[in-house]
Amino acid sequence: EAKRAGRDCARFFLRAMNQALDERLDIEAALRHALSNGLLQLHFQPKLRLSDRQLVGVEALLRWHDAQRGWVPPDRFIPVAEESGLINALDAWVLDQACAQLAAWRAQAVNVPGMSVNVSPQRFHQDDVAAHARALLARHGLAARDLTLEVTERLMLDDNSRPREQLQQLNEMGVGVSVDDFGTGYSSLSYLKRLPVTELKLDKSFVRDLAHDADDRALSSAVIGIGKALGLTVVAEGVETEGQRDILLQLGCEVAQGWLFGKPMGAEALVAWMTPTRR
Ligand code: C2E
Ligand code: MG
Ligand code: MG
Ligand code: MG
């Protein structure tokens, strides 16, 4: 009886594992198809100066609408893309599209001051991101300071010299380097000394309970303090309420993103959002 139960249990897990694998393969194939058939798009979320709500830039966020699955959130497909290697092509496409969009806005005299783009750590190992950024800036007639690349602590902790050299090159060019989701990785903080970082993004998990949680206030205050001491811009993520905004201002945070100010939106919606009557 026990033996039989064990066997059923093993079968159950094998089946579950196979289903999970099948789903990954399905997503990978559908994503590959979406990339090569123009079914991906970018949304843009405003980054604002907290003191006066002045727009300081936007972050490009990948959006995928699949005929069968509907909207698939990046947290579901980015990990699959990273495991399959598709992330290189995906992130390269995003960087190109984001630069093209910024150039298009400039051509229409729409003053979007800067563009932030997420880049997976993988890409720094397999591609020359610095060379690609340099080529795109030239092609689209943009300045290096127009562009910021957002990377996670995963990359910062990496001892490999290839990513580090690219970060140095980006820095020498004048491209911004932002540490995304700061405080959620296994950071040692020493990379802030070694690497040419220009911005820290305070993860939204610290922002969420700011009004009620003294520990989150202490941690946020510490991150903002570190950033200021090192001359970095600190950007708070996930600001949803006036209460959170007020506390962040008190703590000395200068820039923020969040639904309170604007959700990620298509290029046209962003221009509408920017017109004074809408603010
Ligand atoms: P992230 O770079 O940390 O982006 C911030 C995420 O927070 C976005 O989720 C954004 O929509 C969401 N967000 C913004 N404001 C608020 C708010 O007030 N409240 C809450 N609850 N959430 C808010 P999204 O678009 O689902 O992206 C998730 C993650 O997927 C991103 O986190 C980033 O790590 C990754 N990602 C998105 N686009 C790309 C891309 O083009 N390349 C790579 N490599 N990763 C990407
Ligand atoms: Mg980001
Ligand atoms: Mg983040
Ligand atoms: Mg994130």
Side-chain angles (χ1 to χ4, degrees):
E1 189 57 31
K3 207 169 169 184
R4 180 183 174 154
R7 212 163 46 221
D8 286 350
C9 193
R11 264 198 213 114
F12 172 80
F13 279 114
L14 276 176
R15 204 179 309 131
M17 275 175 62
N18 275 326
Q19 274 167 7
L21 185 66
D22 282 352
E23 208 210 26
R24 301 213 126 202
L25 291 174
D26 284 352
I27 287 193
E28 188 200 326
L31 190 55
R32 208 176 280 281
H33 174 263
L35 177 63
S36 44
N37 290 279
L39 303 176
L40 299 175
Q41 43 173 315
L42 293 185
H43 276 190
F44 303 92
Q45 187 178 34
K47 293 168 84 170
L48 289 88
R49 196 160 62 205
L50 273 175
S51 57
D52 58 2
R53 298 198 182 209
Q54 182 84 15
L55 184 70
V56 297
V58 297
E59 177 178 5
L61 292 157
L62 196 50
R63 293 293 179 260
W64 175 28
H65 187 271
D66 180 71
Q68 284 155 39
R69 296 173 181 80
W71 291 101
V72 188
D75 288 336
R76 244 182 92 207
F77 67 78
I78 294 287
V80 176
E82 286 180 338
E83 270 182 31
S84 65
L86 186 59
I87 194 70
N88 292 309
L90 214 56
D91 276 353
W93 180 84
V94 171
L95 189 58
D96 191 3
Q97 290 295 304
C99 289
Q101 183 60 65
L102 186 61
W105 277 326
R106 297 273 168 89
Q108 301 160 34
V110 173
N111 183 28
V112 175
M115 177 65 70
S116 294
V117 177
N118 295 284
V119 183
S120 168
Q122 236 109 320
R123 213 187 151 209
F124 285 90
H125 288 283
Q126 282 150 28
D127 280 348
D128 191 339
V129 182
H132 190 214
R134 193 192 307 275
L136 286 177
L137 291 171
R139 187 194 311 157
H140 295 294
L142 298 170
R145 66 170 184 288
D146 292 333
L147 182 65
T148 297
L149 300 187
E150 298 193 2
V151 299
T152 58
E153 287 166 310
R154 260 194 299 161
L155 180 70
M156 296 297 169
L157 288 175
D158 210 310
D159 248 356
N160 193 300
S161 64
R162 201 180 149 97
R164 202 175 335 122
E165 280 160 15
Q166 292 182 54
L167 292 178
Q168 298 287 4
Q169 286 166 20
L170 287 162
N171 183 255
E172 280 158 26
M173 286 161 62
V175 170
V177 174
S178 175
V179 185
D180 209 343
D181 306 339
F182 185 76
T184 58
Y186 302 90
S187 40
S188 70
L189 295 187
S190 68
Y191 66 78
L192 294 178
K193 206 171 79 171
R194 286 182 289 114
L195 295 170
V197 167
T198 57
E199 180 181 281
L200 298 182
K201 295 191 83 171
L202 176 66
D203 191 68
K204 54 179 175 286
S205 61
F206 298 112
V207 173
R208 192 177 46 225
D209 299 323
L210 268 184
H212 324 285
D213 191 322
D215 290 343
D216 283 342
R217 270 199 302 280
L219 287 166
S220 297
S221 173
V223 169
I224 293 162
I226 289 170
K228 286 201 148 176
L230 296 174
L232 310 176
T233 307
V234 179
V235 181
E237 291 187 322
V239 180
E240 296 179 3
T241 68
E242 293 288 349
Q244 291 165 340
R245 185 199 77 108
D246 292 345
I247 295 167
L248 287 163
L249 257 177
Q250 279 167 30
L251 296 178
C253 182
E254 279 159 0
V255 180
Q257 269 175 278
W259 298 345
L260 176 65
F261 310 112
K263 291 199 173 186
M265 51 196 134
E268 282 180 24
L270 185 91
V271 174
W273 176 92
M274 282 174 74
T275 61
T277 50
R278 296 284 300 266
R279 304 267 321 259

